[in-house]
Amino acid sequence: MTRRLAVRRESFPTRGSFRISRGVKTQADVVVAEIQDGAAIGRGECVPYARYEESVDGVVVAIEKLTDAIADGLDHTQLQTLLPPGAARNALDCALWDLDAKQTGIPAWRKAGLTALPKPVPTLFTIGLDEPAAMEAAARVAQDRPLLKIKLGGDHILERVRAVRTGAPHARLVVDFNEGANFEELKIVGSELKSLGVELIEQPLPAGQDAALAGLNYPVPLGADESVHDSPDIAKLSALYQVINIKLDKTGGLTEALAMKTRAQDAGLQIMIGCMVATSLAMAPAMLLAQDAHFVDLDGPLLLARDREPGLRYDGGTIYPPSPDLWG
């Protein structure tokens, strides 16, 4: 039997409004690719992201164009040459990993080179951008979680971080500007952010303005997110950042993400494993990358009003590896 491809659009409402410096999200619009071969079905989920000039319709078209190639036995290596890094390739790549695991009985973690069964890991939980009082209230609700990520814009930076620190006095903190700061603001707030216990500042400047960070002796480690997509980006960013955020929707799937992680570690960079707002199906492959990461940010399902079933297990600030009936 030849392989058959099915592509679905799905939407999942968020828990209220989720705001970052670029805008507000009230639902997660995802695309699911399913590849069936006999009784086995492999699935992958992606999030088309407008910031990277992607749309749900465009991603569906890009995936469906490979229907014949999939029927003819498309593999991971061929896929890397047919689609660029991004959401469409991610859905197909992860579906191929899942299909292979289900057909061979060899779990994806073994094929990915892990030497032991994946373990639960602590994950960040995101406090969305809001007025300081609202962020303090959100942090108070989440204060038992060990790791919090604070979404910031270009204004009231310290007020918002202080508010979260008040609400969650013992949590470890990461801040994420999503390109919303400027260089002068960044220099001014560094020492105070360090004193508030911030351990990482993610993507402060717009992508393309990274050169301003050259030679900057900043008191808090800086992480690249929007500026880094796949392996070729590592060389130019390793002198500017100390941490890179690997997301499957940027790399175009687990295959490239594994290669990128190795290259980044060889360059002396710390690793953050991140996600878009999506369901457990999108998080599951990233758990294979998260085992030895410095920061894990796979809280996407926690930001949704409902997850798919079966989903990942979250217990407080800990995320557990996927069961085979979810993925891999």
Side-chain angles (χ1 to χ4, degrees), residues 7-35:
V7 187
R8 295 196 309 273
R9 302 168 171 85
E10 298 181 352
S11 293
F12 294 82
T14 60
R15 293 181 184 271
S17 298
F18 179 70
R19 181 184 171 201
I20 66 173
S21 61
R22 276 192 294 273
V24 179
K25 180 185 286 288
T26 58
Q27 65 183 33
D29 296 314
V30 308
V31 175
V32 175
E34 290 186 348
I35 303 174

Side-chain angles (χ1 to χ4, degrees), residues 70-254:
I70 290 166
D72 291 338
L74 176 74
D75 63 21
H76 297 289
T77 301
Q78 295 165 332
L79 178 60
Q80 309 308 302
T81 68
L82 294 177
L83 285 177
R89 195 174 81 185
N90 176 34
L92 284 175
D93 187 64
C94 290
L96 287 170
W97 277 87
D98 189 32
L99 180 66
D100 182 69
K102 288 178 168 58
Q103 287 183 311
T104 65
I106 301 172
W109 63 266
R110 286 193 183 275
K111 290 290 186 74
L114 274 67
T115 58
L117 186 71
K119 297 179 180 179
V121 294
T123 181
L124 290 154
F125 179 77
T126 303
I127 305 297
L129 178 63
D130 209 327
E131 295 302 316
M135 294 179 75
E136 179 180 341
R140 200 173 301 281
V141 172
Q143 64 178 308
D144 291 335
R145 298 181 183 274
L147 299 163
L148 295 180
K149 175 166 158 178
I150 309 167
K151 292 290 188 178
L152 296 177
D155 62 339
H156 303 294
I157 294 170
L158 295 178
E159 292 90 335
R160 289 184 166 109
V161 177
R162 289 189 191 112
V164 171
R165 175 51 78 206
T166 299
H170 305 298
R172 296 170 58 198
L173 301 181
V174 168
V175 302
D176 184 5
F177 283 96
N178 289 114
E179 307 178 278
N182 64 54
F183 189 58
E184 295 306 316
E185 291 169 333
L186 188 65
K187 290 192 293 184
I188 291 170
V189 299
S191 295
E192 182 67 16
L193 290 176
K194 181 177 177 62
S195 71
L196 288 166
V198 172
E199 298 182 21
L200 172 65
I201 296 173
E202 194 179 346
Q203 196 67 45
L205 305 182
Q209 296 183 17
D210 306 285
L213 303 175
L216 181 66
N217 185 21
Y218 205 68
V220 180
L222 301 176
D225 181 2
E226 285 85 351
S227 291
V228 59
H229 291 257
D230 59 354
S231 296
D233 293 330
I234 299 297
K236 66 183 179 182
L237 296 175
S238 59
L240 307 175
Y241 291 95
Q242 294 76 54
V243 181
I244 63 159
N245 189 341
I246 299 175
K247 294 179 180 175
L248 297 178
D249 278 312
K250 294 188 302 179
T251 66
L254 181 60

Side-chain angles (χ1 to χ4, degrees), residues 250-282:
K250 294 188 302 179
T251 66
L254 181 60
T255 301
E256 169 59 20
L258 288 165
M260 183 180 179
K261 181 180 177 183
T262 297
R263 183 175 293 190
Q265 289 173 324
D266 289 345
L269 291 164
Q270 294 186 358
I271 304 298
M272 181 178 194
I273 304 301
C275 68
M276 307 301 186
V277 181
T279 79
S280 286
L281 180 57

